Amino acid sequence: MKVIDHIKNANGRTLFSLEILPPLKGENIRTLFDNMDPLMEFKPPFIDVTYHREEYVYKKKENGLLEKRSTRKRPGTVGICAAIQNHYKVDTVPHIICGGFNKEETENALIDLQFLGIDNVLALQGDAIKSEAKFMPEPDGHRYASELVEQIVNMNNGKFIDEDLQHATPTNFCIGVSGYPEKHFSSPNLKTDLKFLKNKVDLGAEYIVTQMFFDNKAYFEFVDKCREAGITVPIIPGIKPITAKVQANVLPTIFHIDLPEELADEIEKCKDNAAVKQLGIEWCVNQSKELMKFGVPLVHFYSMGKSDPIYKIARRLF
Ligand code: FAD
């Protein structure tokens, strides 16, 4: 079922959903299921699965020279989505990225998803390759998520790349896109960022999932600004429990987000990571309660491979 229909069917009740990462190459899918099993108690209507592009590693050869190799450390997004749908009978949302794909490869990947009975995709630009300073599209690939949205909408209308392809069966994907309450890092300002976000919605995106935030004020103001800009689709808040002291610096570095002073001060006072984890749970519960009171359609949790704190949070809310 489509994400947008899950939201409609909830009739204003706030739902629980989560984002997971495919396991590291070589790990067993059973580990992933063991991690997810407890969370099924909260009946997520759908689960997002991230996509991780290739990165370059350097291997020392016998002659002492370094060999540059391309590798994907977390392959399997599509397989994991199909396995989850099979195992739990829960809808999945694979993340589809521009990076590393040309348009033909994107089309073929979407055909695979259609055949697997996957009804949703989150269309993204995707992160830059780790060793590269900025995102670079493939030759004949997409630069912006909006172009990816356009291609999926075309396929939903039966329009494929090969113009000679007559009577192609249209796909029927519900398309989500990302939004940034604290602005995307490469955007000159929030107003410009919102202009491009509106463009993705105008092209056919049916809902938005936000980057993580730790201050609900950022989300509330973002929603207000989106509505003022004429964006009417559901805006799903994404939040993450802090689990380690080091995240006070790592999360702002990676995700270009702020931690409120109060949270940063409390983290600093924690004796160890067990205390940080408990603080993260309390912070997330309070954030979620306020978001639910505001009437958000879902609270979407970024698990980043750790289900235990999310379980403790969800038990107190859902
Ligand atoms: P876009 O919407 O393409 O925007 C990128 C930047 O370009 C923005 O600054 C925007 O304002 C600007 N822009 C957009 N259109 C134009 C235009 N026409 N002209 C000029 N500027 C423009 N990354 C992964 O690799 N894998 C994942 O699974 C993944 N999942 C994510 C899930 C969520 C909920 C979020 C919030 C992010 C995720 N990311 C993921 C990270 C994301 O790919 C990066 O943040 C990326 O830099 C931006 O992606 P986007 O789709 O928002 O980009």
Side-chain angles (χ1 to χ4, degrees):
M1 190 156 76
K2 294 184 172 192
V3 166
I4 201 74
D5 291 329
H6 281 296
I7 293 175
K8 277 182 203 146
N9 292 349
N11 285 324
R13 188 169 54 91
T14 304
L15 303 170
F16 162 85
S17 66
L18 74 151
E19 178 192 281
I20 62 157
L21 278 59
L24 284 166
K25 192 183 273 186
E27 277 181 12
N28 195 309
I29 194 165
R30 191 62 252 172
T31 318
L32 179 80
F33 286 156
D34 287 347
N35 209 20
M36 288 173 65
D37 280 349
L39 298 175
M40 292 303 130
E41 182 184 326
F42 312 110
K43 302 197 173 4
F46 61 86
I47 294 169
D48 273 59
V49 184
T50 53
Y51 188 93
H52 301 260
R53 66 176 304 178
E54 75 279 16
E55 53 190 275
Y56 294 116
V57 291
Y58 290 88
K59 296 271 176 197
K60 203 167 191 172
K61 295 204 297 185
E62 273 178 17
N63 61 9
L65 293 175
L66 291 176
E67 185 189 4
K68 185 180 177 187
R69 278 196 212 157
S70 166
T71 182
R72 285 187 59 210
K73 293 191 173 165
R74 291 184 188 273
T77 302
V78 174
I80 293 289
C81 284
I84 290 173
Q85 293 208 162
N86 229 351
H87 189 72
Y88 295 113
K89 312 288 175 233
V90 168
D91 284 305
T92 48
V93 186
H95 292 189
I96 300 290
I97 64 169
C98 301
F101 287 81
N102 65 32
K103 292 174 193 156
E104 170 94 24
E105 288 162 344
T106 297
E107 183 172 277
N108 293 340
L110 289 161
I111 289 169
D112 276 344
L113 297 179
Q114 184 191 26
F115 288 162
L116 287 167
I118 290 167
D119 298 327
N120 305 285
V121 288
L122 192 74
L124 299 148
Q125 181 183 58
D127 291 325
I129 292 182
K130 278 204 178 101
S131 50
E132 293 181 354
K134 60 177 185 159
F135 173 84
M136 290 301 295
E138 290 301 295
D140 197 34
H142 299 303
R143 177 176 287 277
Y144 296 112
S146 54
E147 298 165 15
L148 191 50
V149 172
E150 228 172 337
Q151 183 175 9
I152 305 166
V153 168
N154 279 341
M155 288 177 71
N156 281 351
N157 290 321
K159 196 172 156 207
F160 288 60
I161 292 169
D162 182 354
E163 284 164 6
D164 295 334
L165 199 62
Q166 297 291 314
H167 312 299
T169 309
T171 55
N172 189 18
F173 292 110
C174 170
I175 309 167
V177 289
S178 58
Y180 301 80
E182 296 173 65
K183 169 185 105 58
H184 184 262
F185 66 88
S186 73
S187 200
N189 53 60
L190 188 58
K191 195 172 172 208
T192 310
D193 207 18
L194 284 179
K195 181 180 80 179
F196 292 122
L197 178 59
K198 183 167 187 303
N199 183 38
K200 293 192 277 193
V201 174
D202 289 346
L203 286 168
E206 291 176 84
Y207 70 97
I208 296 164
V209 186
T210 73
Q211 179 58 280
M212 68 179 74
F213 55 88
F214 291 91
D215 185 349
N216 284 348
K217 199 165 160 262
Y219 171 81
F220 297 141
E221 287 176 3
F222 178 68
V223 172
D224 280 350
K225 287 189 177 133
C226 284
R227 301 306 180 220
E228 274 166 30
I231 299 170
T232 57
V233 297
I235 302 174
I236 299 172
I239 60 174
K240 178 200 147 37
I242 295 252
T243 52
K245 216 165 200 174
V246 65
Q247 289 174 352
N249 301 107
V250 169
L251 296 176
T253 308
I254 298 180
F255 298 107
H256 308 273
I257 44 117
D258 278 358
L259 261 58
E261 280 174 28
E262 188 193 339
L263 178 60
D265 290 348
E266 290 300 319
I267 293 173
E268 212 175 298
K269 280 186 220 153
C270 286
K271 280 200 303 287
D272 52 25
N273 280 340
V276 176
K277 209 165 159 184
Q278 192 51 41
L279 168 69
I281 290 171
E282 296 306 325
W283 191 271
C284 241
V285 167
N286 290 335
Q287 260 196 293
S288 306
K289 280 186 180 163
E290 199 184 19
L291 290 166
M292 289 163 94
K293 207 165 147 204
F294 181 75
V296 296
L298 295 115
V299 184
H300 189 67
F301 291 91
Y302 292 113
S303 77
M304 292 179 150
K306 293 192 182 75
S307 65
D308 173 54
I310 296 177
Y311 180 81
K312 289 184 176 139
I313 294 161
R315 282 227 65 180
R316 288 166 61 182
L317 299 166
F318 295 95

